[in-house]
Amino acid sequence: MVEQLVDDIVRGALRPGSTLPPEAELCEEFGVSRTVIRESVKVIQEKGLVRIEHGRGTQVTDPRQWNLLDDVVLTSVIAHDENVTFLDELVTVRTALEAEMAAAAALVHTPDDDQRVAEALGVMRANLASAPDFGAADVRFHDAIMAASRNRLGRAIVNSIHDKARTSMRYHGEYNEVVMRQTLDEHQAISDAIAAGDPGAAAAAMRAHILGSWSRRRPAP
């Protein structure tokens, strides 16, 4: 019920400022008790999508009040991002955080960090003929760099938004040999800058990689 109501709000079936249907209607629609309805509405309120006002019912809030880091909300927003505006915002946030973490990794990385990054690169290089394995190693490469930065919050935010975005074909596109080889070259540049202890170059290489990759696969609105 929570997922359905969140989806109805995000896709605009229930518009900002409108009120949710009465409890009796929701009970009939979902086949649940009033208690379940009330608890579900409380959960949706915690996600920022509705506001419960005594005497005025439960009103749908402005999208600017939604908790976009909530798993259910984020999944729905990505699914209904028809003009790719939200994905553009997501890439902008991811770029800023990962570039900063690449710079930090260049300053504080350890031999163990370098080994994890090298291992991910090696798996990518060995799997140019296997898009799924290449893609999994691609994710491990980025995570290894974020771990090396020691920025736990930044890593958690990026992993959260990136994992949800990757469920959308419109976000990750399709791997082919040309794309994989270019990705590998860009990852090598990031790795080299970190190994050299050059935070400026590491940040620039990460920024160029993420933005360039998105520009190549970004779907038309």
Side-chain angles (χ1 to χ4, degrees):
M1 176 182 170
V2 168
E3 291 180 357
Q4 183 60 58
L5 286 176
V6 167
D7 199 65
D8 287 345
I9 292 170
V10 170
R11 67 186 175 86
L14 295 169
R15 303 189 65 80
S18 66
T19 58
L20 294 188
E23 284 186 358
E25 290 185 21
L26 292 174
C27 287
E28 183 175 353
E29 178 181 352
F30 291 99
V32 296
S33 68
R34 287 179 181 268
T35 300
V36 172
I37 296 296
R38 290 167 186 165
E39 291 302 316
S40 297
V41 171
K42 286 181 182 178
V43 171
I44 297 170
Q45 183 183 37
E46 291 169 357
K47 299 178 186 299
L49 275 68
V50 299
R51 180 176 56 254
I52 301 173
E53 295 187 2
H54 295 293
R56 299 185 62 184
T58 302
Q59 296 187 320
V60 177
T61 59
D62 186 280
R64 289 172 293 186
Q65 299 179 37
W66 300 351
N67 179 7
L68 295 175
L69 292 182
D70 178 87
D71 284 352
V72 177
V73 178
L74 181 59
T75 298
S76 186
V77 170
I78 290 172
H80 296 292
D81 184 33
E82 297 301 328
N83 59 8
V84 207
T85 301
F86 185 76
L87 288 179
D88 284 337
E89 294 175 8
L90 186 150
V91 170
T92 297
V93 171
R94 181 190 168 201
T95 301
L97 287 172
E98 286 208 52
E100 179 66 26
M101 284 187 279
L107 296 175
V108 301
H109 65 104
T110 66
D112 286 343
D113 294 324
D114 295 340
Q115 182 177 349
R116 282 188 286 270
V117 171
E119 286 174 353
L121 275 174
V123 174
M124 291 173 68
R125 191 171 289 108
N127 283 281
L128 288 169
S130 174
D133 292 332
F134 183 94
D138 186 345
V139 173
R140 288 199 298 276
F141 173 87
H142 283 270
D143 189 60
I145 290 174
M146 290 189 288
S149 76
R150 307 299 186 264
N151 186 336
R152 294 176 298 169
L153 180 58
R155 182 186 182 193
I157 293 173
V158 170
N159 282 336
S160 176
I161 63 176
H162 195 207
D163 285 351
K164 295 296 178 297
R166 287 173 59 243
T167 64
S168 168
M169 187 64 183
R170 305 182 78 199
Y171 175 76
H172 65 71
E174 293 186 9
Y175 281 115
N176 57 52
E177 185 175 353
V178 173
V179 169
M180 288 190 285
R181 289 190 180 280
Q182 185 165 1
T183 298
L184 188 58
D185 289 343
E186 291 170 353
H187 281 200
Q188 186 67 60
I190 297 167
S191 176
D192 290 345
I194 291 173
D198 188 335
M206 181 64 80
R207 190 177 298 110
H209 163 59
I210 296 176
L211 293 178
S213 178
W214 177 236
S215 69
R216 291 191 294 270
R217 68 179 188 272
R218 183 185 187 277

